[in-house]
Coordinates of all heavy atoms in Angstrom, one line a residue:
N123 N 12.8 -134.9 25.2 CA 14.1 -134.6 25.6 C 14.5 -135.6 26.7 O 13.7 -136.0 27.5 CB 14.2 -133.1 26.2 CG 13.9 -132.1 25.1 OD1 14.2 -132.4 23.9 ND2 13.3 -131.0 25.5
T124 N 15.9 -135.8 26.8 CA 16.4 -136.7 27.8 C 16.6 -135.9 29.1 O 16.9 -136.5 30.2 CB 17.7 -137.3 27.4 OG1 18.7 -136.4 27.2 CG2 17.5 -138.2 26.2
F125 N 16.6 -134.6 29.0 CA 16.8 -133.7 30.2 C 15.4 -133.1 30.6 O 14.5 -133.0 29.7 CB 17.8 -132.6 29.9 CG 17.6 -131.9 28.6 CD1 16.8 -130.7 28.6 CD2 18.2 -132.4 27.5 CE1 16.7 -130.0 27.3 CE2 18.0 -131.7 26.2 CZ 17.3 -130.5 26.2
P126 N 15.2 -132.8 31.8 CA 13.9 -132.3 32.3 C 13.4 -131.1 31.5 O 14.2 -130.2 31.3 CB 14.1 -132.1 33.8 CG 15.3 -132.8 34.2 CD 16.2 -132.8 32.9
H127 N 12.1 -131.1 31.3 CA 11.5 -130.0 30.7 C 11.6 -128.7 31.6 O 11.4 -128.9 32.8 CB 10.0 -130.2 30.4 CG 9.3 -129.1 29.6 ND1 9.8 -128.5 28.5 CD2 8.2 -128.4 29.9 CE1 9.0 -127.5 28.1 NE2 8.0 -127.5 29.0
S128 N 11.9 -127.6 31.0 CA 12.1 -126.4 31.9 C 13.2 -126.5 32.9 O 13.2 -126.0 34.0 CB 10.8 -126.0 32.7 OG 9.7 -125.7 31.8
S129 N 14.2 -127.2 32.5 CA 15.4 -127.5 33.4 C 16.4 -126.4 33.2 O 17.4 -126.4 34.0 CB 16.1 -128.8 33.0 OG 16.6 -128.7 31.7
G130 N 16.1 -125.4 32.4 CA 17.1 -124.4 32.2 C 18.1 -124.6 31.1 O 19.0 -123.8 30.8
I131 N 18.0 -125.8 30.4 CA 18.9 -126.2 29.3 C 18.1 -125.9 28.0 O 17.0 -126.5 27.8 CB 19.2 -127.7 29.4 CG1 19.9 -128.0 30.7 CG2 20.2 -128.0 28.2 CD1 21.1 -127.2 31.0
A132 N 18.7 -125.1 27.2 CA 17.9 -124.8 25.9 C 17.8 -126.0 25.1 O 18.8 -126.7 24.8 CB 18.7 -123.7 25.2
S133 N 16.6 -126.3 24.6 CA 16.4 -127.4 23.9 C 16.3 -127.1 22.3 O 16.1 -128.0 21.5 CB 15.1 -128.1 24.2 OG 14.0 -127.3 24.1
S134 N 16.4 -125.9 22.0 CA 16.2 -125.5 20.5 C 17.4 -126.1 19.7 O 17.1 -126.5 18.5 CB 16.2 -123.9 20.4 OG 17.4 -123.4 20.9
A135 N 18.6 -126.1 20.2 CA 19.7 -126.7 19.4 C 19.5 -128.2 19.2 O 19.6 -128.7 18.0 CB 21.0 -126.5 20.1
S136 N 19.3 -128.9 20.2 CA 19.1 -130.4 20.0 C 17.8 -130.7 19.3 O 17.8 -131.6 18.4 CB 19.1 -131.1 21.4 OG 18.0 -130.6 22.3
G137 N 16.7 -129.9 19.5 CA 15.5 -130.2 18.8 C 15.5 -129.9 17.4 O 15.0 -130.7 16.6
M138 N 16.1 -128.9 17.0 CA 16.1 -128.5 15.5 C 17.1 -129.4 14.8 O 16.9 -129.8 13.7 CB 16.5 -127.1 15.3 CG 15.4 -126.1 15.6 SD 13.9 -126.5 14.6 CE 12.7 -125.4 15.2
A139 N 18.2 -129.8 15.5 CA 19.2 -130.7 14.9 C 18.5 -132.1 14.7 O 18.7 -132.7 13.7 CB 20.4 -130.9 15.8
A140 N 17.8 -132.6 15.7 CA 17.1 -133.9 15.5 C 16.1 -133.9 14.4 O 16.0 -134.8 13.5 CB 16.5 -134.3 16.8
L141 N 15.3 -132.8 14.3 CA 14.3 -132.7 13.2 C 15.0 -132.6 11.9 O 14.5 -133.3 10.9 CB 13.4 -131.5 13.5 CG 12.2 -131.3 12.4 CD1 11.4 -132.5 12.3 CD2 11.4 -130.1 12.9
A142 N 16.0 -131.8 11.8 CA 16.7 -131.7 10.5 C 17.3 -133.0 10.1 O 17.3 -133.4 8.9 CB 17.8 -130.6 10.6
F143 N 17.8 -133.8 11.0 CA 18.4 -135.1 10.8 C 17.4 -136.1 10.2 O 17.7 -136.8 9.2 CB 19.1 -135.6 12.1 CG 20.2 -136.6 11.9 CD1 21.4 -136.2 11.4 CD2 20.0 -137.9 12.1 CE1 22.4 -137.2 11.2 CE2 21.0 -138.9 12.0 CZ 22.2 -138.4 11.5
T144 N 16.2 -136.1 10.8 CA 15.2 -137.0 10.3 C 14.7 -136.6 9.0 O 14.4 -137.5 8.1 CB 14.0 -137.1 11.3 OG1 13.5 -135.8 11.6 CG2 14.4 -137.7 12.7
L145 N 14.6 -135.3 8.7 CA 14.2 -134.8 7.4 C 15.3 -135.3 6.3 O 14.9 -135.6 5.2 CB 14.0 -133.3 7.4 CG 12.7 -132.9 8.1 CD1 12.7 -131.4 8.3 CD2 11.4 -133.3 7.4
M146 N 16.5 -135.2 6.7 CA 17.6 -135.6 5.7 C 17.5 -137.1 5.6 O 18.0 -137.6 4.5 CB 18.9 -135.2 6.3 CG 19.2 -133.7 6.0 SD 19.1 -133.3 4.3 CE 20.4 -134.2 3.6
G147 N 16.9 -137.8 6.5 CA 16.8 -139.3 6.3 C 15.8 -139.6 5.2 O 16.1 -140.4 4.3
I148 N 14.8 -138.7 5.1 CA 13.9 -138.9 3.9 C 14.6 -138.5 2.6 O 14.5 -139.2 1.6 CB 12.6 -137.9 4.1 CG1 11.8 -138.3 5.3 CG2 11.7 -137.9 2.8 CD1 10.7 -137.4 5.7
E149 N 15.3 -137.4 2.6 CA 16.0 -137.1 1.3 C 17.0 -138.0 0.9 O 17.2 -138.3 -0.2 CB 16.7 -135.7 1.5 CG 17.3 -135.3 0.2 CD 17.5 -133.7 0.0 OE1 16.5 -133.1 -0.5 OE2 18.5 -133.2 0.4
K150 N 17.7 -138.7 1.9 CA 18.7 -139.8 1.7 C 18.0 -141.0 1.0 O 18.5 -141.6 0.1 CB 19.4 -140.1 2.9 CG 20.3 -141.3 2.8 CD 21.5 -141.1 1.9 CE 22.5 -142.3 2.0 NZ 23.6 -142.1 1.1
A151 N 16.7 -141.3 1.5 CA 16.0 -142.4 0.9 C 15.6 -142.1 -0.5 O 15.5 -143.0 -1.3 CB 14.7 -142.7 1.8
L152 N 15.3 -140.8 -0.8 CA 14.9 -140.4 -2.1 C 16.1 -140.2 -3.0 O 16.0 -140.3 -4.3 CB 14.2 -139.0 -2.0 CG 12.8 -139.0 -1.4 CD1 12.4 -137.6 -1.1 CD2 11.8 -139.8 -2.1
N153 N 17.3 -140.2 -2.5 CA 18.5 -140.0 -3.2 C 19.6 -140.9 -2.6 O 20.5 -140.4 -1.9 CB 19.0 -138.5 -3.2 CG 18.1 -137.6 -3.9 OD1 18.3 -137.4 -5.1 ND2 17.1 -137.0 -3.2
P154 N 19.6 -142.2 -2.9 CA 20.6 -143.1 -2.2 C 22.0 -142.8 -2.6 O 22.9 -143.2 -1.8 CB 20.1 -144.4 -2.8 CG 18.7 -144.3 -3.2 CD 18.5 -142.9 -3.7
S155 N 22.3 -142.1 -3.6 CA 23.7 -141.7 -4.0 C 24.2 -140.6 -3.2 O 25.4 -140.3 -3.4 CB 23.7 -141.4 -5.5 OG 23.0 -140.3 -5.8
M156 N 23.5 -140.0 -2.3 CA 24.0 -138.9 -1.5 C 25.2 -139.3 -0.7 O 25.2 -140.4 0.0 CB 22.9 -138.4 -0.6 CG 23.2 -137.2 0.2 SD 22.0 -136.8 1.5 CE 20.6 -136.4 0.4
T157 N 26.3 -138.5 -0.7 CA 27.4 -138.8 0.1 C 27.2 -138.4 1.6 O 26.4 -137.6 1.9 CB 28.7 -138.0 -0.5 OG1 28.4 -136.6 -0.2 CG2 28.9 -138.2 -1.9
E158 N 28.0 -139.0 2.4 CA 27.9 -138.8 3.8 C 28.3 -137.3 4.1 O 27.7 -136.7 4.9 CB 28.9 -139.7 4.6 CG 28.8 -139.5 6.1 CD 29.7 -140.4 6.9 OE1 30.2 -141.3 6.3 OE2 29.9 -140.2 8.1
D159 N 29.3 -136.8 3.4 CA 29.7 -135.4 3.6 C 28.5 -134.4 3.3 O 28.2 -133.6 4.1 CB 30.9 -135.0 2.7 CG 32.2 -135.6 3.3 OD1 32.2 -136.1 4.4 OD2 33.2 -135.6 2.5
Y160 N 27.9 -134.7 2.2 CA 26.8 -133.8 1.8 C 25.6 -133.9 2.8 O 25.1 -132.9 3.2 CB 26.3 -134.2 0.4 CG 25.2 -133.3 -0.1 CD1 25.5 -132.2 -0.8 CD2 23.9 -133.6 0.2 CE1 24.4 -131.4 -1.3 CE2 22.8 -132.9 -0.3 CZ 23.1 -131.7 -1.0 OH 22.0 -131.0 -1.5
F161 N 25.4 -135.2 3.2 CA 24.3 -135.4 4.2 C 24.5 -134.5 5.4 O 23.5 -133.9 5.9 CB 24.2 -136.9 4.6 CG 23.2 -137.2 5.5 CD1 22.0 -137.7 5.1 CD2 23.4 -137.1 6.9 CE1 20.9 -138.1 6.1 CE2 22.4 -137.4 7.8 CZ 21.2 -137.9 7.4
F162 N 25.6 -134.6 6.1 CA 25.9 -133.9 7.3 C 26.0 -132.4 7.0 O 25.5 -131.7 7.9 CB 27.1 -134.5 8.0 CG 26.9 -135.7 8.8 CD1 27.2 -137.0 8.2 CD2 26.3 -135.7 10.0 CE1 26.9 -138.1 9.0 CE2 26.0 -136.8 10.7 CZ 26.3 -138.0 10.3
Q163 N 26.6 -132.0 5.9 CA 26.6 -130.6 5.7 C 25.2 -130.0 5.5 O 24.9 -129.0 6.1 CB 27.4 -130.3 4.4 CG 28.9 -130.4 4.7 CD 29.7 -130.0 3.4 OE1 29.1 -129.6 2.3 NE2 31.0 -130.1 3.5
K164 N 24.4 -130.7 4.8 CA 23.0 -130.2 4.6 C 22.2 -130.3 5.9 O 21.3 -129.4 6.1 CB 22.3 -130.9 3.5 CG 21.0 -130.3 3.1 CD 20.4 -130.8 1.8 CE 19.1 -130.1 1.5 NZ 18.5 -130.5 0.2
A165 N 22.3 -131.4 6.6 CA 21.6 -131.4 7.9 C 22.0 -130.3 8.8 O 21.1 -129.7 9.4 CB 21.9 -132.8 8.6
S166 N 23.3 -130.0 8.9 CA 23.7 -128.8 9.7 C 23.2 -127.6 9.1 O 22.8 -126.6 9.9 CB 25.2 -128.8 9.7 OG 25.7 -127.7 10.5
F167 N 23.2 -127.4 7.8 CA 22.7 -126.2 7.1 C 21.2 -126.0 7.5 O 20.8 -124.9 7.8 CB 22.8 -126.4 5.6 CG 22.2 -125.3 4.8 CD1 22.8 -124.1 4.5 CD2 21.0 -125.6 4.3 CE1 22.1 -123.1 3.7 CE2 20.3 -124.6 3.5 CZ 20.9 -123.4 3.2
L168 N 20.4 -127.0 7.4 CA 19.0 -127.0 7.7 C 18.7 -126.6 9.2 O 17.9 -125.8 9.5 CB 18.3 -128.3 7.3 CG 18.2 -128.6 5.8 CD1 17.7 -130.0 5.7 CD2 17.5 -127.6 5.0
A169 N 19.5 -127.3 10.0 CA 19.3 -127.1 11.5 C 19.6 -125.6 11.8 O 18.9 -125.1 12.7 CB 20.2 -128.0 12.3
R170 N 20.6 -125.0 11.2 CA 20.9 -123.6 11.5 C 19.7 -122.7 11.2 O 19.5 -121.7 11.9 CB 22.1 -123.2 10.6 CG 22.6 -121.8 10.9 CD 23.5 -121.3 9.7 NE 22.7 -120.5 8.8 CZ 22.5 -120.7 7.6 NH1 22.9 -121.9 7.0 NH2 21.7 -120.0 6.8
L171 N 18.9 -123.1 10.2 CA 17.7 -122.2 9.8 C 16.6 -122.3 10.8 O 15.8 -121.5 10.9 CB 17.3 -122.5 8.4 CG 18.3 -122.3 7.3 CD1 17.7 -122.7 5.9 CD2 18.6 -120.7 7.2
G172 N 16.7 -123.3 11.7 CA 15.8 -123.4 12.8 C 16.3 -122.8 14.1 O 15.6 -122.0 14.8
S173 N 17.5 -123.0 14.4 CA 18.2 -122.4 15.5 C 19.7 -122.4 15.2 O 20.3 -123.4 15.0 CB 17.9 -123.3 16.8 OG 18.7 -122.8 17.9
G174 N 20.3 -121.2 15.3 CA 21.7 -121.0 14.8 C 22.6 -122.1 15.4 O 23.3 -122.7 14.7
S175 N 22.6 -122.2 16.8 CA 23.6 -123.1 17.4 C 23.3 -124.6 17.1 O 24.1 -125.4 17.3 CB 23.6 -122.9 18.9 OG 22.3 -123.1 19.5
A176 N 22.1 -124.8 16.6 CA 21.8 -126.3 16.2 C 22.7 -126.9 15.2 O 22.9 -128.1 15.2 CB 20.3 -126.3 15.8
C177 N 23.3 -126.0 14.4 CA 24.2 -126.5 13.4 C 25.4 -127.1 13.9 O 26.2 -127.8 13.2 CB 24.5 -125.4 12.4 SG 25.7 -124.2 12.9
R178 N 25.7 -126.9 15.2 CA 26.9 -127.5 15.8 C 26.6 -128.8 16.5 O 27.4 -129.3 17.2 CB 27.5 -126.4 16.9 CG 27.9 -125.1 16.3 CD 28.7 -124.3 17.3 NE 28.0 -124.1 18.5 CZ 27.5 -123.0 19.1 NH1 27.9 -121.8 18.4 NH2 26.9 -122.9 20.2
S179 N 25.4 -129.3 16.4 CA 25.0 -130.5 17.1 C 24.9 -131.7 16.2 O 24.4 -132.8 16.7 CB 23.6 -130.3 17.8 OG 23.7 -129.4 18.9
L180 N 25.4 -131.7 15.0 CA 25.2 -132.8 14.1 C 26.3 -133.8 14.0 O 26.1 -135.0 14.1 CB 25.0 -132.3 12.7 CG 23.5 -131.9 12.3 CD1 22.6 -133.1 12.4 CD2 23.0 -130.7 13.1
K181 N 27.6 -133.4 14.0 CA 28.7 -134.3 13.8 C 30.0 -133.7 14.4 O 30.4 -132.6 14.2 CB 28.9 -134.6 12.4 CG 29.9 -135.7 12.1 CD 30.1 -136.0 10.6 CE 31.0 -137.1 10.3 NZ 31.2 -137.4 8.9
G182 N 30.6 -134.5 15.3 CA 32.0 -134.2 15.8 C 31.9 -133.8 17.3 O 30.9 -133.3 17.8
E183 N 33.0 -134.2 18.0 CA 33.1 -133.8 19.4 C 33.3 -132.3 19.6 O 32.8 -131.7 20.5 CB 34.4 -134.5 20.0 CG 34.2 -136.0 20.1 CD 35.5 -136.6 20.7 OE1 36.6 -136.1 20.5 OE2 35.2 -137.7 21.4
V184 N 34.1 -131.7 18.7 CA 34.3 -130.3 18.7 C 33.9 -129.7 17.3 O 34.3 -130.3 16.2 CB 35.8 -130.0 19.0 CG1 36.1 -128.5 18.9 CG2 36.3 -130.5 20.3
V185 N 33.1 -128.7 17.3 CA 32.5 -128.1 16.1 C 32.8 -126.6 16.0 O 32.7 -125.9 17.0 CB 31.0 -128.5 16.0 CG1 30.5 -127.9 14.7 CG2 30.8 -129.9 16.0
I186 N 33.2 -126.2 14.7 CA 33.4 -124.8 14.5 C 32.3 -124.4 13.5 O 32.0 -125.0 12.5 CB 34.7 -124.6 13.8 CG1 35.9 -124.9 14.8 CG2 34.9 -123.1 13.3 CD1 37.2 -124.9 14.2
W187 N 31.7 -123.2 13.8 CA 30.7 -122.6 12.9 C 31.0 -121.2 12.7 O 31.2 -120.4 13.6 CB 29.3 -122.8 13.6 CG 28.2 -122.0 12.8 CD1 28.1 -121.8 11.5 CD2 27.1 -121.2 13.4 NE1 26.9 -121.0 11.2 CE2 26.4 -120.7 12.3 CE3 26.8 -120.9 14.7 CZ2 25.3 -119.9 12.5 CZ3 25.6 -120.2 14.9 CH2 24.8 -119.6 13.9
G188 N 31.0 -120.9 11.4 CA 31.3 -119.4 11.1 C 32.6 -119.3 10.3 O 33.6 -120.1 10.6
N189 N 32.7 -118.4 9.3 CA 33.9 -118.3 8.5 C 35.1 -117.8 9.4 O 34.9 -116.9 10.1 CB 33.7 -117.2 7.4 CG 32.8 -117.7 6.3 OD1 32.7 -118.9 6.1 ND2 32.1 -116.8 5.6
H190 N 36.1 -118.6 9.3 CA 37.3 -118.3 10.1 C 38.5 -118.5 9.2 O 38.8 -119.6 8.6 CB 37.4 -119.3 11.3 CG 38.6 -119.1 12.1 ND1 39.5 -120.0 12.4 CD2 39.1 -118.0 12.9 CE1 40.5 -119.6 13.2 NE2 40.2 -118.3 13.5
A191 N 39.3 -117.4 9.0 CA 40.4 -117.4 8.0 C 41.4 -118.6 8.2 O 41.9 -119.0 7.2 CB 41.1 -116.0 8.0
E192 N 41.6 -118.9 9.4 CA 42.7 -120.0 9.7 C 42.0 -121.4 9.8 O 42.7 -122.3 10.2 CB 43.4 -119.6 10.9 CG 44.2 -118.3 10.7 CD 45.1 -118.0 11.9 OE1 45.7 -118.9 12.5 OE2 45.2 -116.8 12.2
T193 N 40.7 -121.5 9.4 CA 40.1 -122.8 9.3 C 39.5 -122.9 7.9 O 38.3 -122.5 7.7 CB 39.0 -123.0 10.4 OG1 39.6 -122.7 11.6 CG2 38.4 -124.4 10.3
P194 N 40.2 -123.5 6.9 CA 39.8 -123.4 5.5 C 38.4 -124.1 5.3 O 37.7 -123.7 4.4 CB 40.9 -124.2 4.8 CG 42.1 -123.9 5.7 CD 41.6 -124.0 7.1
S195 N 38.1 -125.1 6.1 CA 36.8 -125.8 5.9 C 35.6 -125.0 6.5 O 34.5 -125.5 6.3 CB 36.9 -127.2 6.4 OG 37.2 -127.1 7.9
S196 N 35.9 -124.0 7.3 CA 34.8 -123.4 8.0 C 33.8 -122.7 7.1 O 34.1 -122.2 6.0 CB 35.4 -122.3 9.0 OG 36.1 -121.3 8.3
S197 N 32.6 -122.5 7.6 CA 31.5 -121.9 6.8 C 30.5 -121.2 7.8 O 30.3 -121.6 8.9 CB 30.8 -123.0 6.0 OG 29.7 -122.5 5.3
N198 N 29.9 -120.1 7.2 CA 28.8 -119.5 7.9 C 27.5 -120.3 7.7 O 26.5 -120.1 8.5 CB 28.5 -118.1 7.3 CG 29.5 -117.1 7.8 OD1 30.1 -117.2 8.8 ND2 29.7 -116.0 7.0

Side-chain angles (χ1 to χ4, degrees):
N123 298 327
T124 60
F125 47 94
H127 184 53
S128 299
S129 67
I131 304 300
S133 60
S134 57
S136 57
M138 287 300 176
L141 180 54
F143 203 73
T144 55
L145 290 170
M146 283 303 297
I148 298 175
E149 183 157 272
K150 173 68 173 177
L152 295 170
N153 292 273
S155 62
M156 182 186 298
T157 66
E158 181 180 348
D159 285 345
Y160 181 91
F161 178 96
F162 278 98
Q163 284 183 3
K164 186 166 181 178
S166 179
F167 170 84
L168 296 174
R170 187 197 93 245
L171 294 174
S173 172
S175 59
C177 75
R178 298 192 306 243
S179 286
L180 274 300
K181 186 179 183 182
E183 294 181 325
V184 177
V185 179
I186 295 171
W187 170 39
N189 286 336
H190 180 241
E192 298 185 39
T193 307
S195 62
S196 62
S197 174
N198 283 335

